[in-house]
Amino acid sequence: MKPTQRRLLPSTSALAAFDAVARTGSFSAAASMLHLTQGAISRHVSLLEEQLGVTLLERTGRGARLTEKGKAYAEGVADVLAKIRSLSLAAMSGSEETRLRLAILPTFGTRWLMPRIPDFVQKNPEITISFATRIGQFDFRAENIDAAIHVGRPNWPDADCKFLMGETVVPVCSPDFRDDHPVEAAADLLGMPLLEMVSRPGAWRHWFSTLGISKQHREGMVFEQFSNVTQACIAGLGVALMPIFLIESELATGRLVRAFDWAIESESAYYLVRPHHKLDFPPAVRFAGWLEDQVTRFKQP
């Protein structure tokens, strides 16, 4: 290999070290993440910068800050490392024809899907599932994913969106929050901290509109995952619109209560999404059929 070609192929150790610093903004945090010394992380990054002939990070008293070139490089390196990990896992796992790479939503996957997966495994012992957590749309080819559970609208480009189920949402909070912020009418919620979900923009607007309320509500914290917004509610940080079937245990134990008893059908729904180029992929076809059966059973009284 020519010297110029070697220069363009940094070691994965150096890339991993740089990626960790870029993610955390700290050499010490990156060292903890990769189980290395801070000195080793610093050497890896310095060697990478020397090999490329550019400055990727600016060392500061509080840690490290990406340069403009560093920002662009970090974004690409993150994608490359994710691809390498995915390919390595596939190589270690056996036949590609019996492996299903499935992207799932964190809370839906944990609370609804995972308890049912043993049934799929029992009925399809030859298929091995690799799970990846994803929120929002992504490139199936770039991520090397065969299918995904998606919440939102059926508007995924170049993919088939099969409707699974809708969701009924209701405003919930902690018992102490409700005691300190009594709600006698829905409009009382307008001035309270209302927690938002990234995956459900406009959810509160829609909820208020079903009660004929058009006044702007107070904006609150925004979260990506239901687990985080659930904990925020339990901690008394505000009120959130939550799908009832995902918080049954919290409601049953009293950790969460209804802030106002008005449940509506959400504008968002759950879909099984498969890219067009993988519609005939046997493991994905098997999973789609099994999942449809599970949803039918779930909807039955």
Side-chain angles (χ1 to χ4, degrees):
M1 183 181 294
K2 296 180 179 179
T4 53
Q5 292 177 316
R6 284 197 299 269
R7 182 183 177 187
L8 296 175
L9 289 176
S11 73
T12 53
S13 297
L15 293 176
F18 169 69
D19 177 65
V21 177
R23 288 175 182 274
T24 62
S26 165
F27 283 89
S28 59
S32 177
M33 178 188 295
L34 298 180
H35 304 289
L36 296 172
T37 66
Q38 186 172 338
I41 294 292
S42 180
R43 285 193 297 274
H44 278 309
V45 174
S46 295
L47 288 173
L48 176 63
E49 291 178 317
E50 182 181 344
Q51 183 174 353
L52 298 178
V54 298
T55 301
L56 300 173
L57 292 165
E58 293 178 351
R59 280 70 168 171
T60 67
R62 296 183 178 180
R65 182 171 60 247
L66 289 167
T67 64
E68 288 303 313
K69 286 188 176 181
K71 290 178 182 178
Y73 196 66
E75 183 176 345
V77 165
D79 292 340
V80 168
L81 291 175
K83 181 69 172 179
I84 291 173
R85 293 187 188 102
S86 178
L87 291 172
S88 298
L89 179 61
M92 295 164 60
S93 302
S95 174
E96 291 292 292
E97 295 303 314
T98 60
R99 175 165 295 279
L100 173 66
R101 300 174 189 83
L102 179 67
I104 61 174
L105 300 163
T107 306
F108 181 87
T110 301
R111 300 201 173 192
W112 191 91
L113 183 62
M114 285 304 172
R116 293 169 169 80
I117 285 295
D119 181 74
F120 178 82
V121 173
Q122 181 181 11
K123 294 175 179 177
N124 302 273
E126 75 283 5
I127 297 177
T128 302
I129 303 180
S130 293
F131 294 98
T133 301
R134 295 289 186 277
I135 300 173
Q137 297 182 8
F138 56 86
D139 187 325
F140 278 98
R141 289 187 186 274
E143 298 282 345
N144 199 23
I145 298 291
D146 303 314
I149 305 294
H150 169 63
V151 64
R153 305 291 180 86
N155 57 356
W156 201 305
D158 301 317
D160 174 76
C161 298
K162 183 177 181 59
F163 175 79
L164 297 176
M165 66 179 81
E167 60 179 13
T168 301
V169 297
V170 68
V172 297
C173 61
S174 71
D176 289 343
F177 185 92
R178 188 175 65 177
D179 291 342
D180 294 336
H181 304 79
V183 179
E184 296 185 5
D188 294 339
L189 289 170
L190 289 169
M192 297 183 186
L194 303 181
L195 310 183
E196 308 266 3
M197 286 290 300
V198 171
S199 59
R200 290 158 176 77
W204 275 111
R205 174 199 51 74
H206 176 61
W207 186 84
F208 281 115
S209 72
T210 64
L211 291 162
I213 299 173
S214 57
K215 186 177 178 181
Q216 180 65 35
H217 63 273
R218 173 183 170 184
E219 295 184 356
M221 298 180 181
V222 181
F223 299 84
E224 283 193 345
Q225 298 189 17
F226 268 119
S227 58
N228 293 334
V229 75
T230 300
Q231 291 305 313
C233 279
I234 293 173
L237 294 178
V239 184
L241 274 178
M242 301 285 281
I244 295 175
F245 82 102
L246 291 180
I247 55 168
E248 290 177 340
S249 62
E250 285 81 3
L251 291 172
T253 59
R255 287 183 294 168
L256 290 178
V257 295
R258 297 191 181 205
F260 187 75
D261 199 11
W262 182 255
I264 67 166
E265 191 74 7
S266 170
E267 290 184 303
S268 297
Y270 293 87
Y271 298 86
L272 174 65
V273 183
R274 290 185 289 158
H276 290 151
H277 70 278
K278 282 293 186 77
L279 279 179
D280 296 327
F281 182 52
V285 173
R286 289 274 198 93
F287 181 78
W290 172 84
L291 186 59
E292 182 178 4
D293 179 64
Q294 293 297 313
V295 169
T296 298
R297 295 185 184 187
F298 174 70
K299 291 179 179 178
Q300 292 174 349

